[in-house]
Amino acid sequence: MPASDIGIDLGTRNSLVYSTGKGLVLQEPSVVVYDKDTEKIRAIGEEARQMSGHVTSNMEVIRPIRQGAIADFVVMEKMLKYFISKAMGRRAFLKPRISICVPGESTEIERRAIEEATYQAGAREVFLVEEPIAAAIGSGVDITKPFGNLIVDIGGGTSNAAVISLGGIVVSASVKVAGDAFDQAIMNYVRGSHSLFIGEDMAEEIKKKIGTAVEEASPRVMEVKGRNVITGLPKTIKLTSEEVRVALKDATGQIVDTVHGVLEKTPPELAADIVDRGIVLAGGGAMLRGMDALIEQRTGVSTLTVQDAMNVVVVGTGKYPEIRARMEE
């Protein structure tokens, strides 16, 4: 396989690039800073994220992907070009074969636009890979076998549950509730219950440190700094993991309901496979403590979060061409 094969996961929050032979070569925020005066892009990725808190009125922070869907094609194409050339480095003159992950629920028009943008960005050949398929491959599931596997991928903008068998999706459903919704729920709770304004970065830190989807025997505590809603002055509070669980209850519940709905629609023989094999949980949002336990409690099916959950989609996307070639033999 040529060294110039790459897989791309354009996420709502982060974009990742995987290169066959090199592994993960790029992980940057899916953010662009646009200068309205010059009508040019000022920064992309990590550089744009660092600028985003300090932009002046003539600049705009654009997230071209929202809740798993492309909101701004022109900006997305430029971002894609930038990430590809950065990932290719000195090999940029070689036109790569590019696999790009698309949300399971994307329309034919969106898919054609993504494909076109990828060719524009310099691809020799383009493969579109559905997110659940990519998550399954990256999680080490052999998708070519005639068994049912239930993959739940909780990303930044969307959560997707899909039953996969013989290389295709049998039943799937998605909900626009995932990691970003968790952060928003924490921000809303802290404002409502403690009269404290906090930013997205602080909310994410809370989620990582004391976030949980299930009740804990001994709740953890964290000091949270923010701005008092009433006085506008800095203020520090103590927040417990139990409060965070309550804040996230609605969002985590919606994800569990989505998984439940897919199980109900699964053909009986594939459902039997899933009971034997368990549910596979992937994506950055799957790293919320106790998420697997919550799904297991509600469905009665053993659930396991894969290692390196954040990167499985991009790894699976990168490996897709060789799996596809095997299936076509």
Side-chain angles (χ1 to χ4, degrees):
M1 183 179 266
S4 60
D5 273 14
I6 61 177
I8 301 173
D9 173 17
L10 283 182
T12 300
R13 175 161 288 197
N14 293 301
S15 290
L16 296 91
V17 181
Y18 173 93
S19 167
T20 48
K22 281 191 170 179
L24 191 68
V25 289
L26 182 138
Q27 178 176 346
E28 294 207 19
S30 307
V31 182
V32 172
V33 173
Y34 177 78
D35 189 321
K36 292 186 237 179
D37 292 349
T38 61
E39 296 186 356
K40 286 195 168 65
I41 286 174
R42 280 285 300 270
I44 299 174
E46 182 52 43
E47 194 189 338
R49 187 191 69 80
Q50 288 175 5
M51 278 176 74
S52 64
H54 316 281
V55 293
T56 48
S57 59
N58 64 326
M59 288 185 208
E60 188 183 356
V61 178
I62 302 171
R63 287 184 176 274
I65 298 154
R66 289 196 206 114
Q67 296 190 313
I70 293 162
D72 189 323
F73 272 103
V74 178
V75 173
M76 187 277 294
E77 193 179 308
K78 290 198 165 74
M79 185 172 83
L80 189 60
K81 253 187 187 140
Y82 171 81
F83 289 151
I84 290 170
S85 68
K86 196 168 177 184
M88 295 290 289
R90 290 202 301 271
R91 299 175 306 157
F93 62 89
L94 294 166
K95 280 192 166 235
R97 268 204 320 186
I98 296 178
S99 305
I100 189 155
C101 174
V102 293
E105 312 288 308
S106 55
T107 65
E108 196 52 49
I109 294 168
E110 285 174 326
R111 287 173 194 226
R112 269 208 298 275
I114 291 169
E115 190 174 14
E116 187 52 41
T118 311
Y119 276 118
Q120 289 292 330
R124 166 168 56 95
E125 195 179 355
V126 178
F127 293 107
L128 296 183
V129 191
E130 292 195 84
E131 209 166 299
I133 300 271
I137 296 170
S139 302
V141 172
D142 186 347
I143 64 162
T144 64
K145 297 275 197 297
F147 298 119
N149 290 286
L150 176 50
I151 311 291
V152 180
D153 176 29
I154 307 174
T158 52
S159 295
N160 198 303
V163 175
I164 292 163
S165 182
L166 287 171
I169 294 170
V170 184
V171 189
S172 77
S174 77
V175 61
K176 291 190 186 318
V177 175
D180 287 355
F182 293 165
D183 295 348
Q184 196 58 53
I186 291 169
M187 286 161 72
N188 293 347
Y189 177 87
V190 171
R191 190 173 65 227
S193 299
H194 294 279
S195 301
L196 192 73
F197 276 129
I198 57 167
E200 281 178 18
D201 291 350
M202 188 74 212
E204 193 173 6
E205 201 182 318
I206 292 167
K207 177 178 71 181
K208 284 180 178 164
K209 283 196 174 160
I210 62 166
T212 179
V214 290
E215 281 187 55
E216 295 178 337
S218 46
R220 290 159 297 143
V221 180
M222 175 181 170
E223 273 201 351
V224 176
K225 294 185 176 76
R227 197 173 46 137
N228 189 314
V229 173
I230 300 147
T231 65
L233 298 172
K235 176 181 164 183
T236 303
I237 59 151
K238 281 190 162 55
L239 196 67
T240 69
S241 54
E242 178 54 24
E243 285 183 276
V244 181
R245 181 191 72 79
V246 171
L248 297 177
K249 197 173 173 187
D250 182 49
T252 56
Q254 286 188 58
I255 294 169
V256 174
D257 289 346
T258 304
V259 177
H260 213 280
V262 166
L263 275 171
E264 284 178 340
K265 287 191 234 130
T266 303
E269 57 281 6
L270 295 181
D273 291 340
I274 292 162
V275 170
D276 289 346
R277 304 163 84 86
I279 295 169
V280 176
L281 200 52
M287 289 149 78
L288 175 69
R289 190 188 289 239
M291 194 64 219
D292 43 12
L294 185 69
I295 292 174
E296 192 166 314
Q297 272 172 24
R298 302 270 183 89
T299 60
V301 181
S302 68
T303 304
L304 182 78
T305 303
V306 296
Q307 263 181 321
D308 207 13
M310 181 102 183
N311 300 336
V312 295
V313 170
V314 74
V315 171
T317 304
K319 290 181 174 174
Y320 175 78
E322 66 175 295
I323 305 268
R324 181 184 157 128
R326 267 209 341 248
M327 283 168 66
E328 286 172 355
E329 276 168 13

